């Protein structure tokens, strides 16, 4: 069941992707009912960078990065590579040469449930990466995996063409067919948050703004 | 036994807290007999920041941040929020809205054996955080916990009003009733260290400064 | 079998060490057949620093840093301290005073499968460290270990005088008697990489540069 | 997007399930192209038990086992409960009372990416469990999750009605619509294995049975 | 602050301890408001054994088991040794010789946030142990710790004389001054559970026994 | 540097191996100065089994078990297979077919810093295994490793022909050229332990048998 490359995957609308990018991981995760987050072990190798794009998915054997070369050919500008090994592996599947190639195809970044290397170069090149490891450990090119099949990456199900959001808080997946609805919900949340932020900054308490006192008392909270 | 908010907790003297802050985590930890450190999994989300303050403690259920709203009302300027979930949880209990609220009450920072989110905003706001995770995972507000009861946070026992120190090395707890004595011991250590630093910088060996050679020989150290 | 200090260890040639430093961890690891890497849990406390030098090895009991004082006397300018505890331990074996002493002896850095403390000071002093933990936890000086005996540090075997490379990607060990050959292989790789980088940057695919298409087809890769 | 209970899910044929059970986790995993395994952290609480059945899936908040009561109503004889928390949690979601209820409905076992308790009773009752933790930590009943929606459990995607296999080696998921084909492939493997087992037991080498020597030589294996 | 042995500690009444033992870890944990559990990493080295007794606490340096000898002198029949290292350590602090000594003093078992060794002998001797590791790694006798001071063991605060319960589900701590009240609450739970068990075994659903349907509907649960 | 099979390795004397087996892991580890233990993550898949034998070492790529077939040809009766992957991997490298083959060659057991599968069969066959994982995850046969070269397995350096001891406490490596001396030291320990065991069983305290009281007082131990 491996050894497949799905071509011509559908993608979400560029405006929708851009809108989700503006909302950020935490807000979008809430807006879609607290679903779609990858594990907290998925960390950025850089600070202060946020990206969004369509997933080109890769299922790769442990210690074998052959499919990354295959996947790069499938990239369209703005896409994000999302790689999950078929079993836990911290090898450095991706370094400055692959980043050079991916950037030349317009790739917006990499999300990988494994390791990357040449991280100093990757930062200098401005190629954004979220990974579960940093490791120089080299890989081989011997065994097929697949490209653009459904995968589970760091605990989250990802289909090719899903929208991937990544920032300092982690990585969130939005299903392609839900992206428009999630964007609307996210924008509503952002508007509501701004007003609350001002009241909280002025010293009002969440207990009052959210009218929590009665419900806390009802649950039995005692002040001593 | 949960569902309690203790008000009007005692706090250490502001001068003592300031003195401990100056000494830093490593020195204070040594000065109190190598006790009171939280686990090394407790990491800052920012570099180069050191804080000290009185603990407002929070015991919260996994995935439920309701008690943070309750705790913020109990803050006095300079206090530090210290949250321990009742079982291991990496959710993002705290983000930019709660930080806005806590800062409006004069809160000096957050120490949490769980996750935080909106970390880019938190860094930009200058709100210091030590956490065991960064995660956008949202929480609910359904189950009571307690505020200002004794807790175990990242392996360290913390009582409300204990002095919390946090810097790049981690987080240390000083019991309120021992704070004055610990400060005195810490200042003595600092003075002694300065002299040693100068001798070591000049190339003298610790083996000689601390007169270790005889004891090493007695234990049987062999040079080959 | 502990309690030994081996003096006058052999070291690789300074030119060879400098050449390996220029190649970096990932390239050298590949050049020596994908061997010699320490575990990915070994992380730098600073960004953007790369060092290379001869290993002065330390085998130390858990929670006991006595042997660091012994080892510092054995340092020659450019050497790197490499410490492995005899069982897993995250204590802060090393801080600003020991760094002051090590720098006064010309030490190029520390690689430690345990914790360090005073990390803010270490960064300010420009003393490079790779460690598996940051912790203020203090240690004692009661039990002998050994200096310059063969150790296993973060999963890699290290003999005294082996060449240690460390950068943002991690830490690699090159056996002293293989250093010249590895350097030659690394330089060859660097030359080859530069040409590939230019072709990839121009948009050529790895699939074509490395002539992978035929072999992928032979293995059964299907495009859908 | 939570708060949904899907009723009347499709299930695989009982004969197919029984056939897969006989083949076991390792063989079935191979037969379906090395896919569908849950993480190795999923461990049985008993030895020597193997089960197979249709998945009734549960997505539950951390520390909240309410949906287990909802799911039990959806069980048909032979089904297996499969629970994934929405974020990592080791709480004891399930104990002897829930097992009593599930057994009364014909449930064949539980697979849970979290904790169970009363394990001595569960073993005595003969109710099989695979979990990632054993913990007495109690849970609440406050927040909705969902039943019979697609989940990711211990790294594997599971849809309601998929066939779950579990034995001492771990847990494997077979997609319902692939179950018949996978069973055929598994039975073919079993037949082939039996013959190889006899030859190996007689002292023949895998090197010869699988004709590996030429390919090893071609790859460059050197005997010294 | 280490180097202290507190003698003549208070203990709970033997009848109360026996009653708590009968209730078991999960029930007692619930009866005291879901508090007092040690981490799930604390595992028994044997199956099917349950103990209860008064805690004789030990704070020990990493890799140093000297204080175990000191603590054994403080044991009274039925007591349980509870050891926490001052920093994470997996060494084998305790083996068959110490078990022989502890059993000769009437010790009921060991709870240790570290390793034990000679586990085959310990099982054969019938000396019950809950530990976070099994390791043959030896320890030294060089540095003082303390006996019968308050400690944090595997995430739970323990004072000397607190009641310790341990069974296949893990370890629970009951504060000595709350033991009578907790026992009463536990016995009430046991009685209530028995009735529920019979109804559940007869096929009644928890949804009905606990009258959950209305509240689920109110929260918005949808059946599809 | 991989792709090498060293044949005709030296082995320790059978009597010495048998003697070490009788002493057990904990005693031998102490007898050789507390060195040579593998990490505590190396666990037996069976209880109550102890083995000793000469190491046939295997260095294998992640997810590739080809070299096991090569290594089995190198086995002599009583040898133990010791496999370390070149980077962390929990795959099931070894199952009942390979065990059948290894047993046919007289293999005494397997020690593997990775996973095994078919564990129910392995237990039934009486083939002893110590591993860091149990997993059905299959492997490929594509990339060379090496046999009988020096490896690091679970933190311990192992050379081909070293004596491997494994029991319920874990795994210990004795260097071949030190085996006779270590055996002598181990037998001395066993004799001394037996006498101590009798005194401890009679109720004498370690404090008195080992004359610890004076040294404890000198270090400052206070009884309160």
């Amino acid at each position: 069941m491996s050894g497949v490359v799905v071509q011509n995957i559908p993608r979400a609308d560029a405006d929708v992707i851009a809108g989700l990018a503006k909302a950020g991981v935490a807000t979008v995760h809430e807006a879609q009912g607290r679903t779609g987050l990858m594990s907290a072990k998925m960390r950025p190798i850089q600070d202060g960078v946020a990206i969004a794009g369509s997933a080109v998915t890769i299922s790769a054997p442990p210690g074998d990065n052959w499919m990354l070369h295959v996947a790069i050919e499938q990239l369209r500008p703005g896409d994000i590579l999302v790689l999950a090994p078929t079993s836990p592996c911290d090898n450095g599947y991706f370094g400055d040469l692959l980043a050079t190639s991916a950037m030349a195809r317009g790739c917006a970044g990499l999300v990988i449930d494994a390791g990357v290397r040449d991280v100093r170069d990757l930062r200098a090149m401005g190629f954004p990466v979220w990974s579960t490891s940093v490791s120089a450990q080299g890989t081989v090119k011997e065994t097929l995996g697949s490209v653009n099949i459904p995968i589970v990456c760091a605990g989250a199900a990802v289909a090719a063409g899903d929208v991937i959001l990544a920032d300092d808080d982690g990585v969130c997946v939005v299903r392609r067919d839900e992206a428009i609805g999630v964007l609307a919900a996210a924008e509503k949340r952002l508007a509501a948050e701004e007003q609350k932020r001002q009241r909280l900054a002025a010293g009002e308490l969440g207990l009052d703004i959210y009218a929590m006192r009665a419900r806390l008392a009802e649950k039995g909270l005692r002040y001593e």
Side-chain angles (χ1 to χ4, degrees), chain A:
Chain A
M1 277 112 198
S2 63
V4 176
V5 182
V6 179
Q7 297 176 292
N8 305 317
I9 59 169
R11 288 168 173 83
D13 195 81
D15 290 352
V16 175
I17 294 172
L20 290 167
K22 217 177 294 176
V25 169
T27 297
V28 169
H29 156 72
E30 291 283 353
Q32 66 180 345
R34 290 181 189 144
T35 62
L37 270 193
M38 291 191 188
S39 157
K41 69 181 179 169
M42 186 63 82
R43 301 301 307 144
I45 66 163
Q46 66 288 313
D47 285 340
V49 174
I51 63 170
S54 301
V56 167
T57 64
I58 306 165
S59 171
D64 194 311
N65 77 344
W66 209 3
M67 285 304 110
L68 270 160
H69 289 278
V70 175
I72 284 171
E73 189 178 28
Q74 304 303 319
L75 288 168
R76 300 232 182 120
D79 285 351
I80 295 176
L81 291 165
V82 182
L83 186 149
T86 54
S87 66
C89 185
D90 68 4
N91 290 181
Y93 281 75
F94 188 96
D96 73 322
L97 286 182
L98 280 167
T100 300
S101 181
M103 287 182 86
R105 311 290 287 194
C107 182
L110 169 70
V111 170
I112 180 169
D113 187 1
V116 290
R117 62 186 191 180
D118 304 326
V119 291
R120 188 179 185 176
D121 295 327
L122 296 177
R123 290 171 188 140
M125 294 162 72
F127 185 81
V129 174
W130 284 254
S131 73
T132 51
S133 185
V134 171
S135 169
Q137 180 70 43
T139 51
V140 298
K141 288 163 190 44
E142 296 286 353
T143 306
L144 296 186
S146 290
V147 172
N148 284 333
I149 64 165
I151 60 173
V152 173
C153 182
V158 187
D162 283 348
V163 183
I164 303 295
L165 297 175
D167 62 23
D168 295 272
D169 285 347
V171 180
C172 187
V173 185
V174 179
R175 287 177 48 183
R176 190 180 53 83
D177 58 1
E178 296 177 353
I180 292 173
V182 169
L183 174 58
E187 288 176 339
K188 213 154 127 187
R189 278 187 80 88
L190 284 176
E193 276 184 7
E194 188 43 39
Q195 195 191 19
K196 284 175 205 160
R197 185 174 292 107
Q198 290 174 18
R199 291 175 67 182
L200 291 166
E204 262 190 277
L205 287 167
L207 291 177
D208 298 314
I209 296 176
Y210 305 106
M212 292 170 170
R213 293 188 195 273
R215 201 163 148 255
L216 285 165
E218 183 191 331
K219 288 265 186 180
L221 190 67
R222 300 189 315 277
Y223 283 83
E224 294 188 353

